[in-house]
Amino acid sequence: MIEAPERQEHIENIRQMNFEDRLELLIDIAYNTRQNNKLERLIKDADFRTTAPSINNIDYQPDRQLDQAVITKPAIGTYIKAHHNILIVGASGNGKTLLATALGIAACRQFYKVRYVRLPELLDDLLVEKNEVNGDFKKILAKYGKHDLLIIDEWLLTGVSQEQATFILELMERRSGQRATIFCSQFGPVAWHDKLGQSQIADAILDRIVHTAYHIEIDGEKSMRERYGIKGQAGFRKRLNDVLLNITWP
């Protein structure tokens, strides 16, 4: 608000406005600045791998078999209010992470607290914190249990140990019916059971995830890397933002 009057002097005919109108402008500027700062902070705290994806930049080419209505409905955030989950399933390189990130950024724009994490990193964090706090699950899970939306990438890409499955169960128990979670996986829920190992724990985990979840499957004759000529992981990271900006969207 201190800076705003100086900027007002550059507005044509500003001195012809009455006090109330000029004050309203000052308040609008202060409010918008605060909201923009809050949004930037939420996006930064979410720890996305990239901030380029947007709901408006989803690739709906026919071979991907994506239903635009299915994508745009969750984007308004009703699933977060209802504490429902989203399962994004597709082969490696088909854009699961980009879609999940786009949904995450849309959630940040609605001022929800979001966190992105890969499952291997999540399990490592839980193991480290367990050793530090002597197994107090309340403290261990607080870091990931408090976010309105948790995005877990590389979900069950490989099998997990019984201890890791127990960690997952405790986290899902904490979030089930209380928070929303997005799972990005190369495999559908049918294959999760074997990767979780112990049958009773696997049943309990799936019960807390699947029944209140939206299912989004991404197909595609080509991966995102092949589709846009991105060669190699280094090239993929380097050109990711440019590719997203140059795709022709509907």
Side-chain angles (χ1 to χ4, degrees):
M1 293 187 72
I2 292 174
E3 297 172 352
E6 296 180 4
R7 292 197 293 268
Q8 281 190 359
E9 294 302 322
H10 299 287
I11 301 176
E12 187 176 356
N13 300 322
I14 187 66
R15 294 191 177 277
Q16 297 179 17
M17 297 177 64
N18 60 37
F19 173 80
E20 288 80 7
D21 289 339
R22 292 195 66 175
L23 179 60
E24 184 176 348
L25 281 177
L26 293 176
I27 294 172
D28 285 344
I29 291 172
Y31 177 79
N32 289 332
T33 299
R34 174 171 288 189
Q35 294 296 88
N36 289 335
N37 290 341
K38 182 178 180 181
L39 174 59
E40 290 178 5
R41 184 171 64 253
L42 286 170
I43 291 177
K44 180 180 179 181
D45 291 345
D47 201 23
F48 296 118
R49 293 167 66 180
T50 173
T51 58
S54 166
I55 289 298
N56 297 324
N57 294 344
I58 301 299
D59 186 348
Y60 292 105
Q61 293 191 41
D63 67 297
R64 304 192 78 206
Q65 299 184 23
L66 283 176
D67 187 335
Q68 188 168 0
V70 173
I71 303 299
T72 54
K73 183 178 179 181
I76 64 177
T78 53
Y79 73 101
I80 300 178
K81 293 179 182 178
H83 309 136
H84 290 170
N85 302 320
I86 296 180
L87 313 182
I88 303 177
V89 180
S92 176
N94 271 7
K96 299 184 298 297
T97 301
L98 298 184
L99 175 55
T101 301
L103 291 171
I105 291 175
C108 288
R109 293 188 179 280
Q110 297 168 61
F111 300 108
Y112 287 113
K113 292 182 179 179
V114 181
R115 177 65 190 272
Y116 167 91
V117 66
R118 296 168 54 250
L119 181 61
E121 295 171 349
L122 170 62
L123 294 175
D124 285 346
D125 282 351
L126 292 177
L127 180 60
V128 169
E129 293 187 26
K130 177 185 177 182
N131 292 331
E132 290 181 352
V133 298
N134 298 319
D136 187 339
F137 269 121
K138 291 183 179 180
K139 292 182 179 179
I140 294 172
L141 301 175
K143 179 177 179 180
Y144 294 101
K146 64 182 180 181
H147 295 93
D148 301 309
L149 174 62
L150 178 63
I151 300 173
I152 306 180
D153 205 354
E154 298 181 14
W155 174 255
L156 296 178
L157 188 61
T158 61
V160 298
S161 67
Q162 183 171 344
E163 181 182 36
Q164 290 172 327
T166 302
F167 287 162
I168 293 172
L169 174 59
E170 292 296 332
L171 179 59
M172 294 303 105
E173 171 63 26
R174 187 182 185 93
R175 296 188 61 82
S176 179
Q178 303 295 322
R179 299 287 189 271
T181 308
I182 295 177
F183 303 85
C184 300
S185 179
Q186 293 187 28
F187 311 98
V190 173
W192 296 357
H193 203 281
D194 290 339
K195 293 181 179 297
L196 287 166
Q198 214 277 345
S199 60
Q200 287 82 3
I201 294 179
D203 288 342
I205 292 172
L206 267 66
D207 183 64
R208 286 159 174 77
I209 294 175
V210 176
H211 299 303
T212 61
Y214 295 91
H215 295 247
I216 300 175
E217 292 191 16
I218 304 179
D219 206 341
E221 298 174 359
K222 296 180 179 180
S223 71
M224 295 294 281
R225 296 177 180 86
E226 294 174 315
R227 192 182 301 274
Y228 303 112
I230 308 171
K231 298 180 180 179
Q233 185 68 16
F236 179 73
R237 294 177 183 275
K238 182 175 183 296
R239 294 185 53 197
L240 180 58
N241 290 350
D242 292 337
V243 168
L244 287 166
L245 292 174
N246 287 296
I247 295 174
T248 300
W249 310 110

